[in-house]
Amino acid sequence: MPKMKTKSSVKKRFRLTATGKIIMGQAGKRHGMRKRSQEMKRNARGTTIMRECDAQIVRRFMPYGI
């Protein structure tokens, strides 16, 4: 059987933790930062753990992890 391919877009956007959770960049930081509150901008720094319901969808595109 041929190997399954990992989606290239998933390789670039997500990483796996040691326990198998998915790390992603925070959403809502591309533009329009002036109208966001300071609290939102502080909380949206760095990365976050993806919710399990969304992570199930992403895991389909990375059959061997990353």
Side-chain angles (χ1 to χ4, degrees):
M1 282 301 293
K3 293 179 184 175
M4 293 175 68
K5 287 190 174 183
T6 299
K7 280 272 190 200
S8 294
S9 58
V10 171
K11 278 191 277 192
K12 297 167 191 171
R13 290 184 174 97
F14 306 110
R15 288 180 300 152
L16 279 178
T17 64
T19 56
K21 295 177 183 172
I22 296 178
I23 296 176
M24 64 177 195
Q26 282 278 10
K29 296 191 330 186
R30 292 291 178 191
H31 57 83
M33 287 286 105
R34 264 190 327 182
K35 63 181 104 172
R36 311 261 196 263
S37 68
Q38 279 302 116
E39 184 185 10
M40 183 271 169
K41 288 190 265 190
R42 272 195 307 274
N43 290 338
R45 278 187 202 137
T47 57
T48 186
I49 302 289
M50 185 179 278
R51 305 233 179 222
E52 195 51 43
C53 55
D54 298 325
Q56 290 172 357
I57 298 165
V58 173
R59 275 199 197 96
R60 284 190 209 131
F61 298 124
M62 43 194 225
Y64 306 109
I66 293 182

